[in-house]
Amino acid sequence: MANNSSHTTEYVVLARVLLLLMFLTILTISITSYHLGAFTVAITLLIAGTKGYLVLSYFMHLKYESLLLRILVGMVFVLFALIIVITFIDYAYR
Amino acid sequence: MSNGTSKIEYVSYLEHQGKYEGIFSWIFATDHKRIGLLYMYAIITFFFIGAILGLLMKIELIAPGETIMKPQVYNGVFTLHGILMIFMVVIPGLSAVFGNFFLPILIGAKDVSFPKLNRFSWWIFIAGSIMAVASQLMKDGPPDTGWTFYAPYSTSTGTNVIMATAAAFVLGFSSILTGLNFIVTIHQMRAPGMKFFNMPLFPWALYATAWIQLLATPIIGITLLMLIGERLFAIGFFDPTLGGDPLLFQHLFWIYSHPAVYVMILPAMGVITEIIPTFCQKQIYGYKAIAISSLAIAGVGFLVWGHHMYTSGMSENARWFFSLLTFIVAVPSAIKVFNWISTMYKGSIDVKPPFLYALSFIFLFIIGGTTGLLLGSVATNVQVHDTSFVVAHFHYIVFGGMGFAFFAAIHYWFPKMYGKMYDYKRANIAWGIIFLGFNLLYFPQFIIGIEGMPRRYFDYPIQFQTSQIISSIGGFILVSGLILMVFNLIQGARKGKLAPANPWNGSTLEWQIPSPPSLENFDEEPVIKKNPYYYK
Amino acid sequence: MSENKLHIEEHRDDEASKLGMWLFIFTELLLFGGLFLVYSIFRAQYTTSFHESSLELSVTIGAINTIVLLFSSMTIAMALSAIQKNNKKLALILIGITLFCAAIFLFNKYFEWGAKIEHGLYPGSTLMTLLDRGHLLYFSLYFFMTGLHALHIVIGMILLIVCYFKVKSQNINNQNYVLLENGALYWHLVDLIWIFLFPLIYLIT
C-alpha cells in the first residue's frame, strides 16, 4: 500500500507542540502590553511565523514530507513576501 | 464522426460506449480527450461571438462620430469583447483544450490525475460563462468598465458589474482546478523512465502555466470579492471617497492579470516548440534552455505587474523597478525565439499548414514582443499609454501569439483528434487570408496610437480615418479567413480522408498511438528511454 | 462493452491526492494573502486609527478562540495518528472533539459579531459610514477577514463530518486514510491563517 511510507506522529510529540504553541500565544499577548514601538509588530510577526512553522512541520507533517514539497511550500511564502515587498516599493515612496 | 475502425481491434475514444449514452456521454465524460474537445467547441463558439463584437467595433470606427451604435453601447461592446476573449477564450484556450487532450498522452499517461475534478472544472467553466453572458442581459444593462474593472468607476457605475465579476471569479476557479490537476498529473503520472528532462516541451510549458494559474488566480479572486463587497456594503477598500485606494485595486488586479498574460502565451510557446522540430525533422535546439525559460518566465512574470500602472501615480522608485524587471522578463522569451530559429537552421523543412501558422506566430510574436519593450520602458510608455498602440501590441501578442498558436495546434493535432485530415490547400489559403487580415487590422493601430488615438474611444478626429478604414477592412478580411479555416476543419472532420497515425513523422508519444486514440491512450504503458525529439 | 472492465480498475494514488490538497492549500494561502496585502497597506497608512479600533475588540475572546483552534488542530492531528495505529474508537472521539472546538469557535465569533452588530457596527450600516477612514477600513477588513475565515471553518467542519462518518463506516481505515489526512490538512490551514489573523487584528499597538 502506498500509505505505508507515511509517517505516524506520536501523541506525545503533538501534545508537546501544542504546549509550545500555547506558550507562544501567551507570549505574544503579554508582549503587546509593553510599548516597544515598531518592534512589537516585528516580534509578533516573528512569533506568528514560528507558530506557523510549528503547525506546518508537525501538525501538517511537512517535516516528514519529500524535499520537493517542502521547497514548494517555501516557494509560496517567498513569492507572497516578494509581492508584499514590491507593492511597498510603491507605497513607501509615494 | 465514425470511421472504419472495425478492421483494427481498438475502439477510439470518440466511439467508446461508457456509462452514459448520447449527449450525456459528453456532459458526464471524465475522459480527458472528450473534455478537451468540449472545451474546444465552447471556446471556438465564444471566440466567434467575441470576434463579431470586435467587428462591430471596427464598423463603428469606420467613420468619425456615430455610425452604428451609441457611445454607451460601444462601452458595453468592448467590455464584453474583453471579458469573453480574455476570461473565456485565451486564458483557458490552449491549456484547457490541448493541455487536456495531449498532456496525458505526451507524458504517457491514461488520463489526468483527477478525472472527476477535471469534469468539475469543465462544468464550472460553463457556469461562469453563462454568468458572464447573463450579466449582459440583466436589467441594469451590460457592464461598461472594460475587462479590467478598474475602481472607483466599477464601484460606482450602475451597470451589472457584480454579475460580471462573479463570473470572472467562477471562471478563475475553473482555471485553478485545471492548473492543480495538471501539476499533480505531471508529478505523478509520467510514464516509467520519463524524467522531468525527458518530457516534451509542451508539458513543460503547461507545467509553468499551471503554477501561474494556481498561485495568481486566488489574488484576482479575493480582489473581485472585495469589489463585490464594496459595491454591496460600501466597504471602501478602493473608493477614495470612503478612504480606499483605487491604485490598490490596480495593484491587486495586475498581480493576477499580468501573470495571466503568461497563462496565455506560455502554452502557445509550448505548441510552437512541438511543431517546429516536427516539420524540420530536427532535434530541438537548446532543449533545457527552453524548458527552464518557461519556468523563468512564470517566475519573473509574477513580479512585473506594475508596468501596467506607470501613469497611474505610482511612486518613481516603483516605476523604474518595474521597468527593470520587465526588461528581464523579455530575456527568456527571446531565448525561445532564438532556439526556434536555430532549430530550423539546416533542418529539412516541410511547409505544411501547422508550420505556416508556427512561422507566422514567430513573426507576429517578435513584433508584439519588441513593441512590448517599448511599452515596458517608462519614458515611451507615458507617451503611448492608453492609446491604440497598446491595443495593437496586446493583440499582436494575444491574437498573433496565442491565437495563431491555437490555430497551429488545431492544424497540427487535428488528424490525431479526429483521425481525419483536412484539405491542405484550403488550409493554406485560409492561413494567407488570416495573416493578411490580421496585419491590416492591427498594424495601422500602432501608427495612429503613436499619433495619439486613444483606446476605448468611440469617436476620433478626421485625420485618423484612413488608418481606421484600413484597419476595419483588415477586420473583415480576418473574419472571412477565420470562417474559411473553420469551414475547412469541419469539412475535414466530417468527410476528410482517413489520417495515418503519424502524418507528420512526429517523434513524440502522441504519434506512436492510433488516430484517434483509444480511451486509455496506450495499450501498454510506454517506457521512455530517450529525449522526446529524435528523428532518423 | 467488454473494454469496460479495463477502465474500471481505478488507480489509487494517495501521493497524488495529498499533493493535490497541498496545491489547493497554496491557493487558499494566496487568497488570504491578497487580504493580508490590503491589510498591511492600510495599516501602514492609518496606523493610529487601526490601533484605536482594535481596542474595541476583546483580546480575551480572541485569545480563547486562538487556544481553542490550536487545540482542535492538535486533536485532528492525533485523530490521524490514531487511524494510522488502527484505533478507530479514539479517532472518532478525537474528530468529535475537533468538531466541538470548531463549534465553540463559531459560537464565540457569533457573540463577537453579534455585539458589534448590536452597536450598529456592520458593513453598510449608518454608523460605519460616519466613521473616519482609518476606522472604517479597519472594521471593513475585520468583518471581511474574519468572515472569510469563518466560512473556511464551516467548510472544514463539513469536510471533517464527512471524515467522521467514513471512519465510522470503515471507509477510512489504517490502509486508506488519505481523505482524513486531507481533511486534517485543511483544518490545519484554517488554524494557520488564524495564527496570523489573531495578532494582526486583535493585538495592534
Side-chain angles (χ1 to χ4, degrees), chain B residues 108-110 191-192 509 512-513 518 520-528, chain C residues 6:
Chain B
K110 288 177 180 173
L509 277 176
Q512 322 304 327
I513 55 173
S518 65
E520 304 228 301
N521 301 338
F522 299 95
D523 290 340
E524 48 193 83
E525 209 170 22
V527 178
I528 282 67
Chain C
L6 207 125

Side-chain angles (χ1 to χ4, degrees), chain B residues 94-116:
Chain B
L94 282 162
S95 67
V97 177
F98 297 103
N100 259 320
F101 201 110
F102 287 103
L103 170 68
I105 304 183
L106 281 166
I107 61 172
K110 288 177 180 173
D111 205 322
V112 291
S113 272
F114 310 117
K116 282 180 187 154

Side-chain angles (χ1 to χ4, degrees), chain A residues 68 72 75-76 79 82-83 86-87 89-91 93-94, chain B residues 187 211 245 247-248 251 255 302 305 314-315 317-318 322:
Chain A
L68 176 80
L72 292 181
M75 194 188 76
V76 170
L79 176 72
L82 276 176
I83 287 177
I86 292 178
T87 315
I89 291 180
D90 174 17
Y91 280 88
Y93 295 99
R94 207 187 280 167
Chain B
H187 273 287
W211 274 109
D245 181 358
L247 257 191
L248 187 58
H251 272 298
I255 288 174
F302 265 102
W305 74 84
M314 202 167 54
S315 79
N317 283 337
F322 280 122

Side-chain angles (χ1 to χ4, degrees), chain A residues 51-62:
Chain A
K51 284 164 77 180
Y53 176 79
L54 286 172
V55 170
L56 279 167
S57 27
Y58 291 95
F59 288 176
M60 298 172 93
H61 295 175
L62 207 53

